[in-house]
Amino acid sequence: MSSLEKETGVPEATHHGAALAATQDVERIEAPVTWKAYLICAFASFGGIFFGYDSGYINGVLGSKIFVHAVEGPLVDKLSESNTSLIVSILSCGTFLGAIIAGDVADWIGRKWTVILGCAIYMAGVVVQMITGAGDALGAIVAGRLIAGLGVGFESAIVILYMSEICPRKVRGALVAGYQFCITIGIMLASCVVYATQNYTTSANYRIPIAIQFIWALILGGGLMCLPDSPRYFVKKGKLAEASSALARLRGQPKDSEYIQVELAEIVANEEYERQLIPSTTWFGSWANCFKGSVWKANSNLRKTILGTSLQMMQQWTGVNFIFYYSTPFLQSTGAIADSFLISMVFTIINVFSTPISFWTVERFGRRSILFWGALGMLICQFLVGIIGVTVGFNHAHKVGDATVADNIPAVNAQIAFICIFIFFFASTWGPGAWIVIGEIFPLPIRSRGVGLSTASNWLWNTIIAVITPYMTGDNRGNMKSSVFFVWGGLCTAAFVYTYFLVPETKGLSLEQVDKMMEETTPRTSAKWKPTSTFAAPKAEGGYVHTETA
């Protein structure tokens, strides 16, 4: 009898002939978090840098006269609305396709190697973008961003999946929030590089910002080669020896540690339980599993898929990417800002320094709470920017020679201030919160596809917003100016209501416990739910003990 059996009185569980220690103590299903384990898990979040950088550099490049001349010709000083829409949105189109494909690839070759493959595709896309200016500039930048987008799709979907599966439950929210933090760092670095090269008079003006992307993919792909793959992936494949080794490295414990045996037993027991509910099937059937069940049942696969995809849709609906994609040309068009590049960089710096707040709040107050209050803060800011703009701000200007000057500079400054406050609310709540939740809500049999679909939803709506925004704000089409903020404010209001009724609280639970919580509660009561039994211990005794609501 093992020491754990003596302590708990629970026999060892078995799986395909392998003995695994089981426990009834829900607080002992994971090893204490060590710094080594923390740093290993945190490294994967580095993938957010090239996601953010790729999204951020294009904002400044679109405002580069040399880039505009390369694409439109030497006599044109502004990109057409159609070309602006195409160049920005084509990346999101590629990421949408990449995220859909990545789920299958991750189940085939593993989470780690899928991200590494995504890095290789991304680097190929960067090489193609570097050709911009030699020959057909528009064709090169569009083709390169489409290829790079496929790589970003692989990375953005599977890094979240990988981190959710390897991170200890007590710090999983903070570590996955680190991914969003790296996105903000990437956006800020892109703004700094663009700002530093804006006065170059050669193609280096835009080629340097493009080329630097190559570095981020090398760091992430090279670093991941030294890290273990997800233990849950190995369990899904029936490779318990590899799962034990990976888990031992991730938790900083020896393979024969009781902590490793107990956590592995919990993962195995839950995988077998979920496999009874979602049997293995054909490739088409495995995708169909994501859409099975009733939309009215909180724990159905369909409901989880809708929750994941709609949560990412809501994140895009906040309007944050309007600011990071189009703030430079938009602020230039108002004529109210002397240095729109500098203001855009200020926005990205606020984004970076606001995100780490979520490391603490997401584990202290929970996912549901920060999404709820974040949506409230964002909708107030967006409506205030819109109201000020249409009354005395951006929308009111006069000509001084060839320049456009705002009638009321303090009002414009107030709009800039509220945009900054909006970014603070987004960066500390919805930015990381949406990514955290989609990595936690899906059961193992459909997790890779569920996270892939959710990420694809993010990029689908990112694409739609990138396509339509130039037409909404362009001088020759919608010419909405500040009125566009009423659109984002209304959509933030929808996110506020959505969170209250549909988003569950997953703080402090293992991925296996999240599934049980969603089965036994509603989103509005989920924060009160507490686990009272493990999966592995009842299985060792021949049954499963239900948990209860506190």
Side-chain angles (χ1 to χ4, degrees), residues 8-25:
T8 64
V10 177
E12 291 185 327
T14 60
H15 178 79
H16 301 308
L20 297 169
T23 180
Q24 289 181 330
D25 186 351

Side-chain angles (χ1 to χ4, degrees), residues 340-408:
S340 56
F341 282 98
L342 181 61
I343 293 295
S344 294
M345 193 164 69
V346 169
F347 290 162
T348 64
I349 292 172
I350 292 170
N351 194 27
V352 169
F353 286 100
S354 300
T355 303
I357 296 171
S358 66
F359 297 177
W360 178 72
T361 57
V362 75
E363 299 297 356
R364 174 64 180 84
F365 301 109
R367 287 69 157 146
R368 174 182 166 85
S369 296
I370 67 169
L371 291 175
F372 180 80
W373 294 109
L376 179 62
M378 289 190 296
L379 74 89
I380 292 172
C381 291
Q382 294 280 26
F383 279 125
L384 286 174
V385 173
I387 291 169
I388 295 171
V390 299
T391 53
V392 292
F394 280 157
N395 290 19
H396 299 270
H398 59 276
K399 286 285 187 180
V400 178
D402 292 332
T404 304
V405 179
D407 295 343
N408 190 327

Side-chain angles (χ1 to χ4, degrees), residues 44-53 155 159 179 182-184 186 220:
S45 66
F46 184 85
I49 285 189
F50 70 81
F51 174 2
Y53 187 94
E155 180 273 334
V159 162
Y179 177 77
C182 286
I183 292 175
T184 66
L220 179 64

Side-chain angles (χ1 to χ4, degrees), residues 294-539:
S294 169
V295 70
W296 307 113
K297 184 180 178 183
N299 197 44
S300 72
N301 290 352
L302 175 61
R303 179 72 171 265
K304 290 176 179 178
T305 299
I306 292 173
L307 175 61
T309 53
S310 59
L311 194 65
Q312 289 291 344
M313 175 185 72
M314 289 291 174
Q315 188 202 58
Q316 291 301 305
W317 278 7
T318 60
V320 69
N321 279 332
F322 165 75
I323 294 169
F324 291 121
Y325 283 163
Y326 296 113
S327 61
T328 297
F330 178 77
L331 292 175
Q332 286 173 340
S333 72
T334 65
I337 308 299
D339 192 340
S340 56
F341 282 98
L342 181 61
I343 293 295
S344 294
M345 193 164 69
V346 169
F347 290 162
T348 64
I349 292 172
I350 292 170
N351 194 27
V352 169
F353 286 100
S354 300
T355 303
I357 296 171
S358 66
F359 297 177
W360 178 72
T361 57
V362 75
E363 299 297 356
R364 174 64 180 84
F365 301 109
R367 287 69 157 146
R368 174 182 166 85
S369 296
I370 67 169
L371 291 175
F372 180 80
W373 294 109
L376 179 62
M378 289 190 296
L379 74 89
I380 292 172
C381 291
Q382 294 280 26
F383 279 125
L384 286 174
V385 173
I387 291 169
I388 295 171
V390 299
T391 53
V392 292
F394 280 157
N395 290 19
H396 299 270
H398 59 276
K399 286 285 187 180
V400 178
D402 292 332
T404 304
V405 179
D407 295 343
N408 190 327
I409 298 299
V412 171
N413 291 337
Q415 284 187 274
I416 298 295
F418 280 115
I419 290 173
C420 291
I421 297 171
F422 162 81
I423 293 171
F424 163 79
F425 276 112
F426 175 85
S428 59
T429 60
W430 273 84
W435 291 110
I436 294 168
V437 174
I438 68 164
E440 297 176 330
I441 59 175
F442 294 100
L444 183 57
I446 65 167
R447 185 172 295 142
S448 63
R449 290 178 173 86
V451 174
L453 284 169
S454 301
T455 307
S457 172
N458 178 292
W459 289 110
L460 173 64
W461 287 100
N462 190 309
T463 304
I464 292 170
I465 290 171
V467 168
I468 67 175
T469 299
Y471 297 101
M472 293 167 65
T473 59
D475 295 339
N476 300 325
R477 302 294 176 93
N479 197 25
M480 294 182 70
K481 296 183 178 178
S482 295
S483 298
V484 74
F485 290 97
F486 289 119
V487 176
W488 309 134
L491 293 172
C492 286
T493 303
F496 177 72
V497 176
Y498 166 90
T499 303
Y500 179 76
F501 287 104
L502 295 177
V503 178
E505 182 54 72
T506 56
K507 175 175 73 79
L509 302 177
S510 71
L511 296 183
E512 290 69 37
Q513 290 167 346
V514 168
D515 190 54
K516 204 64 189 167
M517 175 273 293
M518 293 183 71
E519 181 179 327
E520 298 181 353
T521 68
T522 66
R524 283 176 288 173
T525 60
S526 57
K528 298 179 181 179
W529 186 90
K530 303 294 180 185
T532 60
S533 176
T534 64
F535 277 85
K539 182 162 185 66

Side-chain angles (χ1 to χ4, degrees), residues 218-301:
L218 278 177
I219 294 173
L220 179 64
L224 279 178
M225 287 186 178
C226 303
L227 299 186
D229 211 327
S230 163
R232 287 175 169 88
Y233 163 73
F234 287 126
V235 167
K236 185 173 183 178
K237 292 294 186 180
K239 300 177 180 179
L240 288 200
E242 290 92 333
S244 179
S245 297
L247 196 58
R249 289 182 63 190
L250 290 168
R251 299 294 182 256
Q253 299 277 339
K255 284 197 293 186
D256 58 356
S257 162
E258 288 179 347
Y259 282 114
I260 299 303
Q261 294 297 303
V262 164
E263 184 173 357
L264 186 57
E266 185 73 357
I267 295 170
V268 168
N270 177 260
E271 194 271 342
E272 291 184 342
Y273 170 74
E274 290 178 339
R275 192 60 70 190
Q276 294 173 10
L277 302 177
I278 312 173
S280 297
T281 181
T282 62
W283 174 85
F284 179 80
S286 61
W287 273 106
N289 281 334
C290 294
F291 304 96
K292 287 185 176 178
S294 169
V295 70
W296 307 113
K297 184 180 178 183
N299 197 44
S300 72
N301 290 352

